[in-house]
Amino acid sequence: QQEAMASTGLQLIGFTGAVTGWVVGIAATALPQWKVTAFIGNNILTSEVIWEGIWMNCIYQTTGHMQCKTYDSMLALPADIQAARALMCFAIFLGMLSILLTCCGLKCTTCARDDQYTKTSIALTGGILFIATGLCILIPVSWTAHTIISDFYNPLVPTAHKKELGQAIYLGWAAAVVLILGGALLSSNCPQSERDYRRGYGRNLMPNKATAPPKPTSGGSLPMKEYV
């Protein structure tokens, strides 16, 4: 019973962490701070900061005024931004599917409680999907970060066009790590074979032979009625 409670606790921790990472991934997708203006050169004082995201770019002024504009053409965007759009949207959908599956597979829920093999298999599938969700977030975030760093150290890129890593990049990395760890915890409780579950169920129903009362033996003698 203690082992079952510990397994249920690990499942809840993994599920909570994975859902948290999924929510953080949604926030990273919506935020425009993927690429931020780099303050380099002789003049480090500027009256505005430019943010570039995967959906829009924004100009934030020191007066507190901010103006955002969505991209007019998707085909005119760089390859990393197009890939980030597709993979982040797919990660959000995959994370939602993972949550639905894992809710059915958690030991603390009543779904498919009579079939422990199916229930554990569903939880394992949900954990694997959470890991895939984390990888779908990790790929575009790391790709965009690599592009930013490469352009920053490229002497052929003008100083005004160089960017730095924004807050959304760090949020994406954090979301990917939490999703992968949460999925790993959910996948750590691998299901046994269906035959093992049936054997365990049969052992629970059959009486214990060690504690069963001994059968009366005749000791090799004939029944009493034979003497009459």
Side-chain angles (χ1 to χ4, degrees):
Q1 185 178 3
Q2 293 180 356
E3 183 179 355
M5 292 179 61
S7 178
T8 304
L10 286 177
Q11 278 191 339
L12 291 177
I13 293 174
F15 179 71
T16 304
V19 172
T20 303
W22 179 68
V23 174
V24 175
I26 295 176
T29 305
L31 288 176
Q33 291 98 331
W34 284 62
K35 300 179 182 180
V36 183
T37 303
F39 297 100
I40 58 178
N42 296 327
N43 186 15
I44 62 173
L45 298 177
T46 180
S47 60
E48 61 184 20
V49 180
I50 300 177
W51 297 337
E52 294 182 8
I54 60 177
W55 304 103
M56 66 184 72
N57 55 5
C58 299
I59 299 177
Y60 179 79
Q61 298 179 353
T62 55
T63 58
H65 180 71
M66 184 174 63
Q67 183 179 2
C68 297
K69 180 183 178 182
T70 57
Y71 297 119
D72 297 329
S73 176
M74 179 179 177
L75 299 178
L77 295 174
D80 58 333
I81 299 299
Q82 294 185 22
R85 279 188 172 188
L87 287 175
M88 294 300 285
C89 291
F90 180 72
I92 293 174
F93 169 76
L94 192 61
M96 185 181 301
L97 180 62
S98 305
I99 292 173
L100 295 177
L101 279 177
T102 308
C103 285
C104 297
L106 291 177
K107 294 183 179 180
C108 58
T109 59
T110 58
C111 181
R113 176 172 291 181
D114 296 335
D115 193 350
Q116 291 296 325
Y117 177 77
T118 302
K119 192 176 183 67
T120 309
S121 300
I122 293 174
L124 175 62
T125 304
I128 295 174
L129 290 179
F130 272 127
I131 296 176
T133 303
L135 293 177
C136 288
I137 295 177
L138 183 63
I139 292 173
V141 170
S142 300
W143 187 0
T144 305
H146 173 72
T147 303
I148 295 173
I149 295 173
S150 298
D151 292 342
F152 186 86
Y153 290 107
N154 189 358
L156 300 179
V157 177
T159 303
H161 294 168
K162 293 184 178 182
K163 306 295 181 181
E164 289 184 353
L165 303 178
Q167 292 88 343
I169 299 293
Y170 298 103
L171 286 178
W173 278 331
V177 171
V178 174
L179 278 167
I180 293 174
L181 290 179
L185 285 177
L186 289 172
S187 304
S188 61
N189 187 16
C190 296
Q192 302 175 0
S193 63
E194 191 173 0
R195 182 181 299 177
D196 294 338
Y197 277 104
R198 290 179 178 177
R199 287 177 179 176
Y201 183 69
R203 285 195 299 266
N204 292 332
L205 292 180
M206 295 177 60
N208 193 350
K209 295 182 179 180
T211 58
K215 296 181 180 180
T217 57
S218 59
S221 59
L222 295 175
M224 295 296 296
K225 63 182 181 179
E226 296 295 335
Y227 291 98
V228 179

